[in-house]
Amino acid sequence: FRSFSFIVLMNIAWASLFHAIFEKRGIKYLYKKTNSNRYIYIDGQKKAWDLSKCINEYFKEQNPPARENLRFFIGLRNQIEHRFLPALDLEIFGECQALLLNYEKLLTQEFGEDYSLGESLAIPLQLLTVDSKWRNKVLKEIQSREYEVVKEYIDTFRYSLDETVWDSAEYNFKIFLVPKLGNRQRSADIAVEFFPYDK
């Protein structure tokens, strides 16, 4: 459940981040009954805005790639809610990475560098070789009807995007992993370096 867990937890994290931003700005982020000033209650608690409502209230008329990335994951969360599809992990890696980077950017922009997750998150490790048994299992899964439904959602969403959104790292973070050989055993070089893209 790697993708599934990540998507669900990031949806919760994003909603919580928006709630914190609204709290800081003095904005009431609670649902009210239609034509009333009375709040809606769920299990004795005032019902807070869901992620879709938060996105609309935060971005207003702006439509940056980060907003499209969030919209993609709200829909995908709804698609995979009752499905087990590990084959999605490789399909949506770039969008997952962008979702996390966008979260970190907004978090530090709104609350400062002291709240950065950079020091508490490990570097994601990738296994570049694929076991043949796992590959066969994934191929069977990809041919299943459940995968087709989710893949259709992914493709439809992606094809609806403007090319500038698709090409933005805020929507889909694409990387090349290039092995870096140390020049000496006790070299002080760090193991991972990030080089920002420059045409």
Side-chain angles (χ1 to χ4, degrees):
F1 288 104
R2 290 175 298 188
S3 294
F4 175 84
S5 298
F6 176 77
I7 292 166
V8 169
L9 291 173
M10 284 304 292
N11 270 262
I12 294 168
W14 270 99
S16 297
L17 176 57
F18 282 127
H19 292 169
I21 291 168
F22 298 143
E23 184 79 26
K24 181 177 90 168
R25 294 179 181 179
I27 298 170
K28 296 283 186 192
Y29 52 94
L30 303 166
Y31 283 107
K32 292 184 178 180
K33 294 180 180 179
T34 309
N35 300 324
S36 171
N37 275 337
R38 300 184 74 186
Y39 293 108
I40 296 173
Y41 283 82
I42 303 288
D43 296 328
Q45 298 292 318
K46 293 176 184 172
K47 182 179 178 185
W49 290 345
D50 61 33
L51 184 53
S52 293
K53 174 79 171 164
C54 289
I55 290 168
N56 291 336
E57 292 297 321
Y58 181 82
F59 289 109
K60 303 279 187 204
E61 301 303 318
Q62 300 173 355
N63 201 26
R67 181 180 191 165
E68 291 300 311
N69 179 267
L70 279 165
R71 282 187 52 245
F72 171 74
F73 279 106
I74 290 169
L76 187 57
R77 178 203 60 207
N78 297 340
Q79 290 288 323
I80 65 172
E81 197 168 16
H82 301 292
R83 295 180 171 100
F84 176 64
L85 299 170
L88 281 179
D89 290 351
L90 296 174
E91 178 74 29
I92 61 172
F93 175 81
E95 281 114 337
C96 286
Q97 188 64 54
L99 183 69
L100 180 60
L101 292 172
N102 295 340
Y103 182 86
E104 171 74 359
K105 180 180 176 183
L106 184 60
L107 177 67
T108 56
Q109 175 185 305
E110 290 286 341
F111 296 100
E113 292 296 324
D114 288 345
Y115 290 91
S116 172
L117 301 175
E119 291 182 14
S120 61
L121 290 181
I123 297 166
L125 302 176
Q126 301 300 315
L127 297 174
L128 301 177
T129 57
V130 178
D131 177 64
S132 60
K133 289 179 191 172
W134 185 81
R135 183 173 50 240
N136 291 337
K137 182 181 174 194
V138 167
L139 285 173
K140 285 180 187 173
E141 186 179 301
I142 287 173
Q143 294 164 357
S144 74
R145 177 69 190 132
E146 285 206 340
Y147 185 84
E148 286 177 27
V149 171
V150 176
K151 181 70 170 123
E152 183 179 332
Y153 165 79
I154 292 170
D155 291 342
T156 301
F157 193 96
R158 286 176 175 170
Y159 293 135
S160 73
L161 296 173
D162 182 84
E163 199 170 307
T164 57
V165 173
W166 175 252
D167 288 340
S168 170
E170 287 184 0
Y171 176 77
N172 188 6
F173 189 81
K174 302 171 198 85
I175 59 171
F176 288 102
L177 296 177
V178 180
K180 177 182 172 186
L181 301 177
N183 53 2
R184 291 186 315 274
Q185 184 177 0
R186 293 199 170 124
S187 170
D189 291 351
I190 57 172
V192 177
E193 291 180 75
F194 177 72
F195 293 94
Y197 176 72
D198 183 348
K199 288 184 181 181

